[in-house]
Amino acid sequence: MRVKVKLNNINDVILFIEKTNNYQCCDGDYIYQNQIVDFRSFMGIVSIGLNKECIVNFLSDDEKLCNQFKEDIRLWIVEE
């Protein structure tokens, strides 16, 4: 599942990573243009930069889990 998000400040990054850490059963990517980092990586996300629309690629085939993840990160979703 792919969703577009925007993290505006360091607090958003910290809260976002707290949410992603609840999904240890799944992997995910945080993508900006040609840069791809683990969606749990504080340094990776900060190195991409703040205030940028990025793609989160949540790697799961479980539709219920995908929907729950999407609900958990709804504060940062910029498009559906």
Side-chain angles (χ1 to χ4, degrees):
M1 173 193 73
R2 293 178 144 236
V3 70
K4 191 179 286 189
V5 299
K6 185 176 180 183
L7 303 178
N8 296 309
N9 54 54
I10 294 295
N11 286 334
D12 281 350
V13 175
I14 292 167
L15 291 172
F16 177 81
I17 291 171
E18 285 178 6
K19 295 292 185 184
T20 62
N21 280 330
N22 291 330
Y23 295 89
Q24 293 295 324
C25 61
C26 302
D27 286 325
D29 300 315
Y30 188 82
I31 305 164
Y32 180 73
Q33 294 177 348
N34 64 343
Q35 297 175 292
I36 302 172
V37 298
D38 187 285
F39 74 162
R40 291 185 193 94
S41 171
F42 178 83
M43 292 302 293
I45 292 172
V46 170
S47 72
I48 285 176
L50 303 174
N51 287 316
K52 296 179 180 178
E53 290 187 5
C54 297
I55 300 294
V56 172
N57 189 22
F58 186 70
L59 304 171
S60 174
D61 292 328
D62 184 333
E63 187 175 340
K64 185 176 178 180
L65 197 60
C66 288
N67 289 335
Q68 181 61 50
F69 178 73
K70 193 172 182 180
E71 178 65 24
D72 284 349
I73 65 165
R74 73 185 179 285
L75 292 174
W76 305 289
I77 294 175
V78 293
E79 281 185 10
E80 293 206 41

